[in-house]
Amino acid sequence: MQNWLPINHPNKDLPSINICVHDNNVKEPDQVIIALHGFTGSGLDFDPIVDLLPKKTLFIAPDLIGHGESDCPRNSGYYSETFIFELISGIQKRYRLPHFHLLGYSLGGRLALRYSLHSNKCLDSLILISSTPGIKVKQDRLERKYADKHLAQNITERGISWFCKEWEKIPILRSQKNIPPEILNPLRERKLKNNITGLSNTLEHLSNGNLMPVWDNLSTITTPTYLFTGADDLKFTEIAKQMKTLIPLSTHSIIPNTGHLPHLESLKAFSQSLNSIILPK
């Protein structure tokens, strides 16, 4: 089910924009998940997981700003973690959720992590897939920021089709070939429908080069936190191992024979783990 949700910017001088929110239309749910997708993705990317959830689970997945069917404003002020906080709060109010599980993959994971540091009173759990608290070294962060800005300019000049082909060449994303075609093909089609302005603004303003790292804040997280990485994704598996030592109530699950998209590369294994997290103990 697709809904449109107007979200106000914290800066009241900026008008509200419309965010497309997908849900599975479950009434009187026993548990609720809000899920944030990765860069170039869509809330619909989680559909294969939704099909394997317990029947009384409400699954809510917005198209993040600049993605999918959501608005793609030119004003860069909307592409900020504070606006994402407003989005999550807006979803909570719209669906009248007293509490919920918050799940995020990659870009969505780093935003979900920051939301948990911003407001964790309503979180049943925090579920992070292939996510990072940020780039620790300032010089490395500046280099990433410059590289992302250059890539954002190329998106504007060369278009979405060019960008999607280049993006898939990134070594960390090559494991997506392990995703079944019936899942991967629609995923690719949705990527090609993205908006140039939305992607370039997201890349430039919500990348790890632009967001300040939150490593020093991880010890303050009181929400039960579940970290997932693919065994073949050595970089993010090492990051998750470090995160586990810093987040008090955390576990780290490494899914065999998967890379950066373990939730889709090994759908059954991830879904079983997810269900064990959300079902009442």
Side-chain angles (χ1 to χ4, degrees), residues 14-272:
L14 294 176
S16 64
I17 65 167
N18 290 315
I19 295 295
C20 180
V21 180
H22 309 274
D23 71 62
N24 57 342
N25 199 29
V26 171
K27 307 299 182 184
E28 300 181 1
D30 291 333
Q31 51 274 326
V32 179
I33 300 174
I34 297 177
L36 308 181
H37 61 77
F39 179 59
T40 75
S42 158
L44 295 174
D45 293 353
F46 295 108
D47 274 3
I49 295 171
V50 176
D51 294 338
L52 299 177
L53 290 172
K55 290 183 179 179
K56 296 293 285 182
T57 302
L58 174 59
F59 195 93
I60 305 167
D63 289 347
L64 294 175
I65 183 171
H67 290 75
E69 299 296 325
S70 290
D71 284 351
C72 304
R74 292 186 178 279
N75 190 321
S76 62
Y78 288 97
Y79 299 82
S80 66
E81 56 189 81
T82 54
F83 180 80
I84 301 300
F85 299 163
E86 290 293 321
L87 167 59
I88 296 171
S89 297
I91 291 173
Q92 184 182 8
K93 292 174 184 176
R94 171 71 172 268
Y95 288 84
R96 299 179 181 177
L97 306 176
H99 52 85
F100 55 92
H101 301 270
L102 183 60
L103 180 153
Y105 159 67
S106 196
L107 164 66
R110 60 178 174 264
L111 296 173
L113 173 60
R114 285 165 172 77
Y115 181 82
S116 75
L117 292 166
H118 167 73
S119 177
N120 65 4
K121 294 180 181 179
C122 299
L123 295 185
D124 293 321
S125 73
L126 177 65
I127 304 161
L128 304 177
I129 308 166
S130 302
S131 302
T132 173
I135 301 173
K136 297 178 182 179
V137 181
K138 183 177 180 180
Q139 184 58 38
D140 293 344
R141 202 161 57 247
L142 289 173
E143 290 176 4
R144 175 65 180 272
K145 183 176 181 177
Y146 175 80
D148 286 339
K149 184 175 183 178
H150 178 70
L151 184 54
Q153 290 171 344
N154 275 329
I155 296 174
T156 302
E157 294 170 1
R158 302 190 184 189
I160 294 293
S161 180
W162 169 86
F163 171 72
C164 287
K165 290 177 182 177
E166 292 298 308
W167 193 248
E168 287 192 354
K169 294 177 184 177
I170 297 175
I172 204 170
L173 296 178
R174 289 175 185 165
S175 65
Q176 69 178 10
K177 67 181 185 297
N178 299 324
I179 300 174
E182 63 271 20
I183 297 175
L184 181 59
N185 291 338
L187 190 100
R188 283 173 165 163
E189 290 173 7
R190 287 192 294 271
K191 289 180 185 295
L192 288 168
K193 293 178 181 178
N194 273 310
N195 179 280
I196 289 175
T197 299
L199 288 193
S200 59
N201 267 332
T202 300
L203 187 61
E204 189 168 350
H205 300 287
L206 285 174
S207 78
N208 276 317
N210 199 66
L211 296 177
M212 291 299 295
V214 293
W215 285 95
D216 292 343
N217 307 96
L218 297 184
S219 62
T220 67
I221 296 175
T222 57
T223 303
T225 302
Y226 301 87
L227 310 171
F228 288 90
T229 57
D232 298 334
D233 184 355
L234 302 182
K235 175 182 176 180
F236 278 83
T237 292
E238 179 56 34
I239 289 172
K241 287 179 180 179
Q242 295 178 41
M243 293 173 67
K244 183 181 180 300
T245 67
L246 299 171
I247 301 175
L249 301 174
S250 64
T251 63
H252 177 204
S253 299
I254 303 174
I255 300 181
N257 303 313
T258 64
H260 196 62
L261 298 91
H263 56 304
L264 297 180
E265 294 173 38
S266 187
L267 183 60
K268 184 176 180 181
F270 175 77
S271 296
Q272 287 175 342

